[in-house]
Amino acid sequence: TLALGVGATAAYWAPFPMEQKFILSNVIAWAIGMITLTSVSLGTFQTAAVLLAGLFLYDIFWVFGTDVMMTVATKVEAPVKLLYTAPPPPEGMAPRSYPFSVLGLGDVVIPGLFVAFMGKVDNVLKPEKFGYFNVAVGAYAFGLAACFIVNDITHAGQPALLYLDPACIGSALACGAANGQLKEVWNFQENPEEEEVAAE
């Protein structure tokens, strides 16, 4: 495993254009994301809601309010984003200055932590109608699709969390209401008994 990691790192930093190694970059970024998902816990639903709401505003400001995010996405080459070969520009439009469509790793990890958290909600609350994890996965897919569609229509960078965060939080609350467990979802804590012991 160590040899594989060292080899992948060496290959990534080799002096070749990103067009020749973007798949390797995606593999490294995906590995970083998966490690994060298994290492970080949101703790409570309210913590998750506050975190996603804060990052929702953060993402909107830095994408629409400044050129920082676009500069980082297109000028900084590091395995902190997923790269997809961009479709050719419509006829009559100038060629793309950057040959990839970009999905920041944070747009995978942050909502991914919430989706994983909803799996824990499923295990504890055991809903009879709609599973929280399945609904969260569907909401993430819907939000991401909406982001890509708007990006394709406007030909302008989009803050993915603008679409992902409301989809994830909104669907969880709607699912809780449909299951008659809205209060339980809002007040959910992963390990409340451990917190009580620690407080004692």
Side-chain angles (χ1 to χ4, degrees), residues 178-197:
N179 287 326
Q181 298 175 322
L182 181 58
K183 183 177 180 180
E184 290 85 348
V185 170
W186 180 250
N187 294 316
F188 185 84
Q189 301 179 36
E190 286 190 50
N191 296 304
E193 66 282 354
E194 292 181 5
E195 293 181 6
E196 291 174 4
V197 170

Side-chain angles (χ1 to χ4, degrees), residues 166-182:
C168 288
I169 295 292
S171 66
L173 294 175
C175 189
N179 287 326
Q181 298 175 322
L182 181 58

Side-chain angles (χ1 to χ4, degrees), residues 5 16 18 101 115 173 180 184 196:
F16 297 110
M18 184 55 69
S101 293
V115 171
L173 294 175
E184 290 85 348
E196 291 174 4

Side-chain angles (χ1 to χ4, degrees), residues 24-172:
L24 176 60
S25 176
N26 287 347
V27 169
I28 296 173
W30 186 256
I32 293 171
M34 293 305 100
I35 290 172
T36 305
L37 289 177
T38 58
S39 304
V40 178
S41 172
L42 294 177
T44 71
F45 185 88
Q46 293 175 27
T47 299
V50 170
L51 175 66
L52 266 65
L55 291 173
F56 169 83
L57 298 174
Y58 170 92
D59 210 21
I60 291 173
F61 172 77
W62 287 107
V63 172
F64 291 147
T66 74
D67 62 356
V68 171
M69 285 292 196
M70 290 302 296
T71 300
V72 170
T74 59
K75 304 297 184 185
V76 177
E77 295 300 355
V80 293
K81 55 190 176 182
L82 298 174
L83 304 173
Y84 308 90
T85 302
E91 188 175 348
M93 289 192 67
R96 297 176 183 271
S97 59
Y98 190 66
F100 299 105
S101 293
V102 178
L103 180 64
L105 201 54
D107 300 326
V108 176
V109 171
I110 301 301
L113 289 171
F114 182 82
V115 171
F117 179 81
M118 296 313 295
K120 297 174 183 178
V121 175
D122 251 342
N123 292 336
V124 174
L125 298 185
K126 296 180 170 40
E128 295 183 359
K129 294 181 180 178
F130 304 103
Y132 295 104
F133 178 78
N134 291 337
V135 168
V137 171
Y140 180 84
F142 173 81
L144 194 60
C147 179
F148 279 126
I149 289 171
V150 174
N151 177 265
D152 191 57
I153 292 173
T154 63
H155 304 290
Q158 297 294 312
L161 297 183
L162 169 64
Y163 306 91
L164 294 172
D165 289 0
C168 288
I169 295 292
S171 66

